[in-house]
Amino acid sequence: MTHPSGVTEHHRYLIIGAGPAGLQLSYYLQQTGCDYVTVERADAPGEFFRRFPRHRGLISLNKVHTVSADPEIRLRWDWNSLLHEPFDLPFADYSRQYYPNADDMVRYLADFAAHHRLAIHYGVAVDKVTKQDGTFLAHTADRVYSADCLIMATGWGRPHIPDVPGIQHAVGYESMSTDPADYAGQRVLILGKGNSAFETASAILGHASMVHLASPRPMRLAWNTKHPGDVRGHHGAVMDSYQFKTLHSVLDCVIDEIVPTGEGYRVHLTYTHADGETAVMDYESVLRCTGFAMDTSVFGAGARPQLVPSGRMPATAPDWQSVDVDGLYFAGTIAQDRDFKKASSAFVDGFRYNLRTLTALLRERYEDVPLPFDTVPADAETLTGALLDRVNWSSALWTQFEFLVDAVVVDPGTGQARHYHDLPEDLVVTRFADEEYCYTFGLRWGREPYPDVFAIERHPQPDRAAESAFIHPVLRRYRHGELVDELHLLEDLLAEWRRPDRHVLPLQDHLAKDLPR
């Protein structure tokens, strides 16, 4: 259809970006018969993975061999597949490597889009997004797309460049040489201590004479934080080299200035944990590996979203909608504000479940399709069975620990309960703020500051389950939006929470005492 304003194409939903998030959301909207279109500036999906990571090794697990034949449970350790039914296109058909190559992801995404015949317009660069009279307008070279709802699935659009005097002299991760021989014999400073920094250090460790990784804060090790985006154990050679006095080092410091000297760079720094000690260090190469940020240049009048304080991603409400632009939603890695540095919303294995839930929320708002739930009797035995069945089976609750939960809302008048699946816990709290009996059930880690996460004293008694360090089920009760009660169930090495003495009876007894009579 053509409009006087020059709009040539209108859809209920417009998705910008055909990376894994754009493909996953496209799949779910298509499966439910929604009117959508996805536009992508590149000529194929997954453009980010054609360039990154620079050394081509992914950090997303691809555990091909598991103890279960159930596809749902196997997804717990398949961090790359997109969700689809029937599950006939698993990522394991593209790589058998535990840490696969990014080129395998590129092939997989192209095949996924083709296999499901997703409505994607390739080679379409969006120059500007505006909002007029409640309608979003995406301006491209030859047409304007209009939509009632806009979902940005663009991924990271630009490097994050810290405010450091002389930072322009550092070579960015996006353009640096990946040939280790180019750093032979050099003293190399890597700005950053995330996975891109450690990826780079690992690649040149045997070639450079000295590698320093620097940032103001200590490195965050994934085995301590449980966040897959923090530094992973397979970069252990870098940390070994630091502790074994090879002159390769990990520095907590502020970079005060980077000054070119003609033959290299002189870097002035102040140590973070050394009573203000300063130092001047010389390097032949300075590499900037400080992560990425969302490109906001596309947003125009009426559509520019508020950002988080760092400016790297949008500030979002519990439903992944912009906090200040109605109808503007975010998908994928840029939609991690609600569980930043906690669960896996920044990665395929996490946001694939978020997008399944987002689809249901969008259909509720724009298609008048009620948010789905199961109706179950609100008695302790029935609810215990339903909740334990879910937590023992769901890959969403497993992957999106401490973020996605099942919700049970009890109606004391009817003795029935509504059982919702895979909702963000903060959404549950706000959505059901008027309810007297609102329960959430999900998985959580012990978050004590353990001195050594590999030597934790365990107390395997049900009444000490709150001291569990490993991932374990947690029931919470909210009354009118306030947390009033919490029950932990004991951890289990094989993640099987069905023992009568440790899991079934403690949960059933707790519910029997708490449910309305």
Side-chain angles (χ1 to χ4, degrees), residues 214-268:
S215 74
R217 298 183 182 87
M219 60 182 170
R220 290 167 51 96
L221 300 176
W223 60 56
N224 288 327
T225 66
K226 311 300 186 290
H227 176 59
D230 288 331
V231 178
R232 305 287 288 282
H234 64 288
H235 294 310
V238 178
M239 291 172 278
D240 281 354
S241 297
Y242 176 30
Q243 297 297 335
F244 292 155
K245 307 177 292 296
T246 65
L247 299 186
H248 300 318
S249 301
V250 180
L251 309 179
D252 292 353
C253 65
V254 173
I255 304 299
D256 299 313
E257 189 176 14
I258 303 169
V259 181
T261 62
E263 297 181 354
Y265 304 92
R266 182 154 292 168
V267 177
H268 300 255

Side-chain angles (χ1 to χ4, degrees), residues 311-492:
R312 298 178 65 176
M313 65 187 76
T316 55
D319 60 354
W320 298 286
Q321 184 176 195
S322 167
V323 296
D324 62 346
V325 180
D326 185 52
L328 173 59
Y329 293 80
F330 296 92
T333 193
I334 58 174
Q336 57 176 293
D337 171 33
R338 306 303 300 190
D339 66 328
F340 183 64
K341 292 289 186 181
K342 294 179 183 176
S344 292
S345 290
F347 306 98
V348 172
D349 64 309
F351 64 62
R352 60 190 178 188
Y353 303 107
N354 294 355
L355 294 175
R356 183 170 64 188
T357 298
L358 175 60
T359 301
L361 294 172
L362 293 177
R363 295 184 70 214
E364 180 183 44
R365 175 176 179 177
Y366 292 98
E367 318 283 341
D368 294 324
V369 177
L371 193 66
F373 60 84
D374 300 327
T375 300
V376 294
D379 65 82
E381 184 176 358
T382 301
L383 289 178
T384 294
L387 292 174
L388 289 180
D389 282 349
R390 280 281 298 157
V391 81
N392 277 282
W393 180 73
S394 168
S395 59
L397 298 180
W398 172 270
T399 304
Q400 289 296 70
F401 56 86
E402 301 175 8
F403 182 62
L404 294 183
V405 296
D406 277 14
V408 173
V409 181
V410 176
D411 184 344
T414 65
Q416 298 291 305
R418 304 191 306 276
H419 182 183
Y420 299 86
H421 296 179
D422 304 336
L423 298 180
E425 187 158 17
D426 54 357
L427 177 67
V428 173
V429 173
T430 56
R431 183 184 180 103
F432 303 117
D434 294 333
E435 299 291 342
E436 177 84 9
Y437 293 89
C438 175
Y439 298 91
T440 64
F441 196 63
L443 293 169
R444 306 188 76 83
W445 291 90
R447 292 297 187 180
E448 296 299 318
Y450 307 109
D452 184 347
V453 295
F454 298 105
I456 298 173
E457 290 293 325
R458 298 176 55 248
H459 306 285
Q461 296 87 39
D463 60 349
R464 300 188 69 173
E467 300 174 52
S468 294
F470 192 55
I471 195 167
H472 61 280
V474 177
L475 177 78
R476 288 177 164 180
R477 181 189 166 191
Y478 292 89
R479 180 192 296 131
H480 304 308
E482 296 294 328
L483 178 63
V484 296
D485 198 13
E486 185 173 273
L487 173 72
H488 293 248
L489 301 181
L490 275 172
E491 59 196 350
D492 184 86

Side-chain angles (χ1 to χ4, degrees), residues 166-167 169-172 176-191 200 204 207-214 255 258-267 281-289:
I167 190 66
H169 303 300
V171 179
M176 69 185 186
S177 170
T178 56
D179 184 352
D182 289 344
Y183 304 97
Q186 290 191 5
R187 295 164 294 180
V188 180
L189 174 64
I190 299 175
L191 304 179
T200 301
I204 66 175
H207 295 76
S209 61
M210 186 173 74
V211 178
H212 287 172
L213 295 89
I255 304 299
I258 303 169
V259 181
T261 62
E263 297 181 354
Y265 304 92
R266 182 154 292 168
V267 177
M281 309 286 285
D282 290 319
Y283 302 95
E284 280 73 44
S285 291
V286 179
L287 306 178
R288 170 179 43 76
C289 299

